Amino acid sequence: MKQTILIMMAVVLLSNCKEKASEKAEEKPNIPFVWEAANIYFLLTDRFNNGDLANDSNFDRTLPTAKLRGFKGGDIKGVTQKIEAGYFTDLGINAIWMTPIVEQIHGGTDEGTGLTYGFHGYWASDWTAIDPNFGTQEDLKNLVNAAHKRGIRILLDAVINHTGPVTEKDPVWPEDWVRTEPQCAYDNYENTIACTLVKNLPDIRTESNDAVELPLQLVEKWKKEGRYEQEVEELDAFFKRTGYPRAPRFYIMKWLTDYITEFGIDGYRVDTVKHTEEYVWQEFKKECDYAFTEFKKNNPKKVLDDNGFYLVGEVYNYGINTGQYFDFGDKKVNYFDRSFQSLINFQFKWNAAEQDYETLFSSYSKYLTTELEDYGTLNYLSSHDDGHPFDAKREKPFETATKLLLAPGTSQVYYGDESARSLVIDGTEGDATLRSKMNWGAIQGDTKTQAILKHWQKLGRFRANHPAVGAGTHHMISKTPYWFSRSYAHNDYNDVVIIGLDLNTGKNVLDVSEYFKDGDVLQDAYSDTAVTVKNGSVILDSEFSMVLLERL
């Protein structure tokens, strides 16, 4: 019944959504951006939005593929279009993470699932170039500028662990660069890092400090493109400055940090972290920090704030309950140590399924103020490679939003979470079912989808306007009805919000004397109504079962 009321009321208010969202974004210009409280939108570049039909086919990647395993046209321009249209602002998104945009292998693989091209971005062939299916350097520059104008940070996706697969068009890299066997057994530390993740995915020899020459295929490619001398000159300068040996991992670090100095990206989500020696990430952080400092120094007018470069790591199966360590069985590793500011939390979906709101919220607040103090966690409920999402059939889109966006920690919205894009696609195999095209048609023409989107927008904007939601301290005010507060303070900035969930609709009286004084005007951001504190309390009369109280 409560969900029905939410849907009906959300549809009525939908027409005012964009105007009000823009107004609220402009009303609060002094809200500090805090990575630990960020609302990050994760999208597959190829599957989100096609902004340029002219770049849909390149390198003769035209053979029929298995379902959802070929390029579908999404590109950097398409993301920029949605930034400029206010889609992310309306959704309360203040950072966007895109899958890798570097040039992918030109051929495809055909091992068990049918032909597959590198549409997902994780099969690099040249880290120094943007894949033309995704766009150009100018496209990326425009995207970063458009995002930054709206206070949105950009994360790219870094892969240092492996090249793309070997195909008829894509020769294996030299033996001193990669190993092609053994395949990882994942039963201890060594059998997780000194091996290939899967068959035919050459593993970069990240442990090596031996100097290597550039792969012949890159030399020939760069000469054909007329940039060989420039690339070599830049590499010489990098190795002279750093003193690093010309080992494989340092070439790739140089190529990846170029995207920081040249385009001003704000962070990297780092792929396959636990499959590489931990010191690699300490070295990578050092170079990312250097590159970000250089960008800020050379582009003072483009500096957003004093936040450092953000690194969030994918340590597969890491959970917040283990604190700073990941256990391989025979060895525990701290990936926060001089490396990552945050790790993706693979545990959150299980906690969200098994725990009530208070158990979930209070436990996460405890973790983040004790074992993970000064660090963060990135919570998600669905993603591109997790075959057991929280709500694959999209039967609980309202609950998904509420638990994800109101939980302590950084939130990761996977493209289509907000529009109930199905994660069960007939005819697909493996992770392809998670990677369908964004359902823009449903957003434009389906009232149920619009109501779901409205709920995500309200919660997302509230979260973006209040660092206390993600980075603040959680305190339960009452269990029944369920009210809690979040408070955050840093330097001279203080933020307090009060939230009510699963309330009875109609009048609710709440004692707020511990947080606000008589005469304070508060707003319920969910119903968009204002109330005044009298005798230490507020009286809320709402059609909704949720209240998001903030100071006006």
Side-chain angles (χ1 to χ4, degrees):
M1 184 64 176
K2 290 178 180 176
Q3 190 177 77
T4 301
I5 294 173
L6 284 172
I7 292 175
M8 294 175 63
M9 295 303 297
V11 171
V12 172
L13 295 172
L14 183 66
S15 61
N16 296 322
C17 168
K18 289 188 177 181
E19 183 178 345
K20 288 186 178 180
S22 300
E23 289 174 359
K24 289 181 181 178
E26 293 174 3
E27 285 170 5
K28 302 186 178 183
N30 297 319
I31 301 168
F33 177 81
V34 181
W35 278 110
E36 288 74 20
N39 192 19
I40 300 176
Y41 194 93
F42 169 36
L43 59 88
L44 265 73
T45 310
D46 176 69
R47 299 297 162 86
F48 186 65
N49 186 44
N50 193 344
D52 186 355
L53 299 178
N55 66 12
D56 287 359
S57 180
N58 294 281
F59 305 126
D60 198 28
R61 295 187 284 219
T62 56
L63 293 175
T65 67
K67 189 167 184 177
L68 288 177
R69 290 194 173 273
F71 285 88
K72 298 299 181 184
D75 47 37
I76 296 170
K77 281 185 178 178
V79 180
T80 305
Q81 287 176 358
K82 294 300 180 181
I83 292 172
E84 293 176 337
Y87 182 78
F88 297 104
T89 300
D90 291 348
L91 197 55
I93 297 298
N94 46 25
I96 299 171
W97 154 27
M98 302 164 58
T99 47
I101 58 174
V102 302
E103 186 170 320
Q104 299 294 287
I105 60 172
H106 294 187
T109 66
D110 192 358
E111 297 177 5
T113 57
L115 185 67
T116 299
Y117 287 120
F119 68 90
H120 45 67
Y122 293 96
W123 290 350
S125 67
D126 184 354
W127 276 270
T128 71
I130 295 175
D131 194 290
N133 269 72
F134 301 140
T136 65
Q137 291 189 5
E138 189 65 23
D139 293 340
L140 181 58
K141 185 181 299 182
N142 292 338
L143 180 144
V144 174
N145 288 340
H148 284 178
K149 285 179 182 178
R150 293 159 179 81
I152 299 172
R153 273 70 176 169
I154 296 297
L155 304 180
L156 295 185
D157 206 313
V159 183
I160 298 180
N161 172 252
H162 58 268
T163 68
V166 179
T167 76
E168 291 183 0
K169 296 182 178 181
D170 306 281
V172 65
W173 286 45
E175 188 175 351
D176 55 1
W177 272 82
V178 302
R179 62 173 61 84
T180 55
E181 58 180 19
Q183 191 171 324
C184 293
Y186 305 112
D187 55 2
N188 61 31
Y189 178 79
E190 187 69 15
N191 290 341
T192 302
I193 63 168
C195 47
T196 68
L197 297 179
V198 295
K199 183 181 178 182
N200 192 24
L201 196 64
D203 182 64
I204 296 291
R205 295 185 183 274
T206 49
E207 81 284 358
S208 174
N209 286 317
D210 294 338
V212 296
E213 298 296 327
L214 284 166
L216 181 60
Q217 58 261 49
L218 279 186
V219 172
E220 292 177 345
K221 177 178 184 290
W222 292 350
K223 286 182 176 180
K224 184 177 179 180
E225 294 171 350
R227 59 190 180 96
Y228 172 74
E229 289 78 10
Q230 177 187 342
E231 293 294 343
V232 170
E233 183 179 337
E234 290 182 7
L235 284 167
D236 289 343
F238 173 80
F239 285 112
K240 181 179 180 180
R241 175 183 66 79
T242 62
Y244 292 138
R246 291 178 177 255
R249 68 184 185 277
F250 294 117
Y251 281 91
I252 301 174
M253 287 182 198
K254 187 274 177 190
W255 296 332
L256 287 172
T257 54
D258 282 349
Y259 290 89
I260 306 172
T261 52
E262 293 178 20
F263 302 100
I265 65 170
D266 305 280
Y268 268 121
R269 176 269 190 184
V270 181
D271 188 60
T272 55
V273 166
K274 73 176 184 180
H275 302 288
T276 298
E277 299 78 11
E278 56 270 27
Y279 57 78
V280 172
W281 309 121
Q282 295 174 348
E283 295 164 341
F284 187 50
K285 174 177 171 52
K286 179 181 177 181
E287 292 311 311
C288 287
D289 288 345
Y290 176 87
F292 202 47
T293 299
E294 286 296 295
F295 175 82
K296 287 185 172 183
K297 182 175 69 176
N298 295 330
N299 300 274
K301 293 184 179 180
K302 295 184 178 181
V303 176
L304 295 178
D305 54 35
D306 60 359
N307 272 297
F309 192 77
Y310 182 67
L311 285 180
V312 55
E314 181 227 20
V315 179
Y316 203 85
N317 282 336
Y318 165 81
I320 191 174
N321 66 319
T322 63
Q324 295 182 32
Y325 288 87
F326 181 82
D327 190 353
F328 286 87
D330 62 335
K331 181 178 181 179
K332 291 184 178 181
V333 175
N334 183 348
Y335 289 105
F336 291 96
D337 180 25
R338 293 169 290 160
S339 300
F340 293 99
Q341 186 172 340
S342 184
L343 295 182
I344 295 174
N345 178 25
F346 289 80
Q347 180 184 343
F348 184 74
K349 63 173 185 173
W350 304 116
N351 295 147
E354 298 166 358
Q355 299 174 353
D356 60 31
Y357 288 121
E358 176 56 23
T359 303
L360 178 69
F361 296 162
S362 61
S363 63
Y364 272 59
S365 181
K366 181 180 178 181
Y367 286 131
L368 290 166
T369 55
T370 54
E371 293 102 319
L372 289 176
E373 187 175 11
D374 299 327
Y375 297 109
T377 187
L378 180 57
N379 300 320
Y380 76 91
L381 288 175
S382 62
S383 78
H384 64 318
D385 59 5
D386 189 331
H388 299 89
F390 173 74
D391 182 26
K393 295 182 180 180
R394 303 300 196 183
E395 297 169 338
K396 301 180 285 187
F398 290 90
E399 180 185 344
T400 300
T402 303
K403 286 187 171 177
L404 178 65
L405 298 179
L406 296 183
T410 307
S411 54
Q412 175 224 288
V413 179
Y414 186 45
Y415 79 106
D417 279 350
E418 76 279 17
S419 54
R421 177 181 63 87
S422 180
L423 302 176
V424 180
I425 309 297
D426 291 339
T428 58
E429 291 188 45
D431 52 24
T433 192
L434 307 169
R435 304 174 178 184
S436 61
K437 293 175 68 175
M438 180 63 178
N439 57 336
W440 295 114
I443 288 176
Q444 295 166 0
D446 180 71
T447 55
K448 183 177 179 181
T449 301
Q450 291 168 354
I452 293 167
L453 176 62
K454 180 67 175 177
H455 181 66
W456 281 81
Q457 289 172 330
K458 288 181 178 183
L459 289 174
R461 292 198 302 270
F462 186 72
R463 181 185 179 93
N465 285 335
H466 296 285
V469 175
T473 301
H474 174 87
H475 174 69
M476 184 175 72
I477 298 173
S478 70
K479 187 173 183 178
T480 306
Y482 182 49
W483 292 95
F484 62 90
S485 67
R486 296 275 171 78
S487 56
Y488 173 82
H490 182 70
N491 295 332
D492 59 350
Y493 179 81
N494 290 278
D495 185 31
V496 177
V497 297
I498 296 177
I499 298 170
L501 301 179
D502 290 339
L503 307 174
N504 292 322
T505 56
K507 286 189 177 181
N508 284 274
V509 180
L510 177 66
D511 182 347
V512 296
S513 58
E514 185 178 343
Y515 306 93
F516 304 107
K517 64 181 185 298
D518 283 1
D520 283 349
V521 179
L522 309 181
Q523 174 174 263
D524 170 19
Y526 203 89
S527 64
D528 198 21
T529 57
V531 292
T532 301
V533 180
K534 295 180 181 178
N535 299 320
S537 298
V538 291
I539 300 175
L540 297 146
D541 192 351
S542 175
E543 297 283 347
F544 304 105
S545 60
M546 175 182 294
V547 169
L548 306 174
L549 272 182
E550 59 188 355
R551 190 196 304 270
L552 274 180

